[in-house]
Amino acid sequence: MAAVVLAATRLLGGSRSFGAPAHRQFSSGGAYPNVPLSAPLPGVPRPIFATVDGQEKFETKVTTLENGLRVASQNKFGQFCTVGILINSGSRYEAKYLGGIAHFLEKLAFSSTDRFDSRDRILLTLEKHGGICDCQTSRDTTMYAVSADSKGLDTVVGLLADVVLHPRLTEEEIEMARMAVRFELEDLNMRPDPEPLLTEMVHEAAYKENTVGLHRFCPTENIAKIDREVLHSYLRNYYTPDRMVLAGVGIEHDHLVECARKYLLGTRPAWGSEAPVDVDRSVAQYTGGVVKLERDMSQVSLGPAPFPELTHIMIGLESCSFLEADFIPFAVLNMMMGGGGSFSAGGPGKGMFTRLYLNVLNRHHWMYNATSYHHSYEDTGLLCIHASADPRQVREMVEIITKEFILMGGTVDVVELERAKTQLMSMLMMNLESRPVIFEDVGRQVLATRSRKLPHELCALIRSVKPEDIKRVASKMLRGKPAVAALGDLRDLPAYEHIQAALSSRDGRLPRTYRLFR
């Protein structure tokens, strides 16, 4: 017991006796009696503190190989890397083919190849390096990506080259892809959130039967028609080295170039090495128009608390391509409009001070959703507002949205503009904390422009946006024809000509209609 007391008193800095407590000598009263806390201590080296200047510590390096393939990398601290191949191909290039090829290729990605006899063998190879893989297609880009340990870079690039250039595309795999496509189409039509379907419809209305207006999802009637021969004819024209970027984040550039030369230079793809003969170089033609889909939405979500029946409207106007200088003001305008669902827990960063919250959702309790979206491509762009409400209030909902479009070309408050700019920069920087997002940013920018704007450059462009820039781009946008997508009970949907007239008016009001019988 005495030993325990002795140990405890030593730990507490006291003495064995229970008399007057011992006094410690603190630095303030001993060695440095007269040194204030704001001054450096004598004899102690001056500390060097880390600084944050907003600049990237690693530059994005780009090398073009002899066959036209670009290799882009951005080094980043960490054990893991993200590497992938981005290809300038997608549904916009399917005008001369059966629609849905890109959708099929997405489902067939990372299937058997010349070197790997099954998808399982590919996944087991990646597993040895802690890797995961993914393939995503959009209207203008196809992306094959792998995240794995940096030490396995050689294996990863070899695997990617095999997956992209030497897929077997067996009949069994194509049949499995058909099943996956059918399931995805069924899911698209059944889900309570109709945003993906409305986005598809508004593109179809905006760019009638051309480029980005072509179906991103495979039409049901084409599922059985797409086979190995059709896929090879498409791959021969669009999976060429000059349309590809090998991008990597978290690796040394020279090592990536070395791997690219080893696996992607001089290799003969599975569909042959004949020169492309039928590459679609069409420029997007904005047409405007309306696409309507009458549907009973009352049974969308059954259960103890069923989802209310809603009618969904999306109205869009042509903006600009991401290569134009006005792309940044449009991005700020989109952030300024903001919006979201009628229920939100609020709090910082939720966008509760955006226009669609303040002017729409906060004032009209019956509206379930009002959200702004901006889609941008290399030759065009589309700024949309999606709104949903009870079918009986469709006309009023459309008028509220047309009024918001008209207000975009009006006075811009300096405070709301600064808030939108800060929110856009915050979102940009937060997203670029993620390695896969940096990879996609590097790949897409180099694919489109052969170089990359770094985050601090983009932030400088965002900061330079002025109220007159917002007013200018909005006024220019409002001179175009609208694209309208409507889903649900559409009995009270205003005529397309009336929506167009409202967007051409000063106040955004729909023309008055008079009916003898209600």
Side-chain angles (χ1 to χ4, degrees), residues 283-345:
V283 175
Q285 302 296 316
Y286 182 86
T287 59
V290 60
V291 172
K292 296 188 280 189
L293 183 57
E294 288 264 6
R295 180 179 289 175
D296 179 11
M297 304 291 282
S298 60
Q299 306 294 315
V300 166
S301 177
L302 300 173
F307 208 70
E309 181 183 358
L310 300 174
T311 294
H312 302 270
I313 307 293
M314 192 177 272
I315 300 174
L317 290 165
E318 187 179 21
S319 57
C320 73
S321 93
F322 56 66
L323 299 175
E324 296 177 48
D326 283 345
F327 171 66
I328 299 294
F330 269 116
V332 175
L333 173 60
N334 178 56
M335 192 60 66
M336 197 167 77
M337 296 309 294
S342 58
F343 171 78
S344 175

Side-chain angles (χ1 to χ4, degrees), residues 1 7 11 15 99 104 128 195 231 238 279 300 325 371 373 400 409 462 468 492:
M1 184 66 183
L11 282 169
S15 62
F104 257 77
K128 291 174 185 174
E195 192 269 324
L231 294 169
Y238 293 100
V279 177
V300 166
T371 312
Y373 297 95
I400 288 166
I462 293 167
E468 49 267 31
D492 289 338

Side-chain angles (χ1 to χ4, degrees), residues 43 51 82 100 106 122 147 155 199 232 277 288 321 450 484 503 514:
T51 57
T82 299
E106 179 183 81
I122 288 174
S147 288
T155 304
T199 302
H232 271 192
V277 291
S321 93
R450 298 181 178 271
V484 180
L503 289 168
Y514 301 97

Side-chain angles (χ1 to χ4, degrees), residues 348-362:
K350 275 295 186 75
M352 303 300 279
F353 286 94
T354 56
R355 284 190 179 185
L356 292 179
Y357 262 116
L358 291 175
N359 301 348
V360 178
L361 294 169
N362 287 0

